[in-house]
Amino acid sequence: MSDSLHLACPHCLAINRVATARLAASRCGKCKQPMFSGAPLELTSANYAALIERSELPVVVDFWAGWCGPCKMMAPVFAQTAAELEPRIRFAKLDTEAEQALAGRFGIRSIPTLIVFKEGHEIARQAGLMQSSQLKRWLESHLV
């Protein structure tokens, strides 16, 4: 990881240059809100470009739907992993029912599906329910 990264503020979407040593305590230069909350962000078509394409930090996106039983079982695992691994990795959730065009753009056929993005490019994909230890191993294997 370099000495600083460009990443989008989850509140106002302004792009910030943040020192990697200060990621955990970083605040947006524009709106002064914390850059990380330890919880997954809601990903929408309105914030996708800033949070995924314009940020240098890896982002793990959980594609899910409210009617999906395995998605509901995955939600606390994903949230716990976000709390443990942020700010090294950003976590986001995309509701495939509310954001059908964005889900279609990535060819989501089954949910839950996790995709890891790095600098706007998909680098890994995994469909299906995972336990916390599996999720961490999977992320480590793709982000080393």
Side-chain angles (χ1 to χ4, degrees):
M1 206 179 280
S2 68
D3 291 342
S4 66
L5 296 170
H6 290 96
L7 58 139
C9 172
H11 307 284
C12 71
L13 304 181
I15 302 299
N16 290 261
R17 184 173 181 213
V18 180
T20 54
R22 301 199 59 198
L23 278 175
S26 61
R27 291 189 170 273
C28 176
K30 183 177 179 183
C31 73
K32 309 302 183 211
Q33 295 292 317
M35 296 291 281
F36 295 96
S37 66
L41 304 172
E42 181 182 348
L43 192 62
T44 66
S45 56
N47 65 11
Y48 170 81
L51 293 175
I52 303 295
E53 295 175 353
R54 296 177 57 205
S55 289
E56 295 176 339
L57 194 67
V59 182
V60 182
V61 180
D62 176 13
F63 290 82
W64 69 283
W67 52 262
C68 169
C71 296
K72 290 178 183 178
M73 292 169 55
M74 181 76 182
V77 170
F78 195 72
Q80 174 191 348
T81 306
E84 292 174 17
L85 298 182
E86 266 194 6
R88 288 187 7 224
I89 305 167
R90 177 157 268 168
F91 289 77
K93 294 180 72 69
L94 186 133
D95 182 346
T96 58
E97 292 293 306
E99 297 291 340
Q100 292 181 12
L102 199 49
R105 176 177 171 184
F106 295 102
I108 301 300
R109 301 283 180 248
S110 63
I111 51 176
T113 292
L114 301 179
I115 298 180
V116 179
F117 294 93
K118 187 157 185 178
E119 296 183 22
H121 300 286
E122 180 179 332
I123 61 169
R125 179 184 293 230
Q126 176 69 43
L129 180 63
M130 284 192 273
Q131 297 303 317
S132 181
S133 60
Q134 293 172 303
L135 176 55
K136 288 176 193 171
R137 278 193 309 272
W138 180 72
L139 289 171
E140 287 171 7
S141 71
H142 294 289
L143 296 173
V144 172

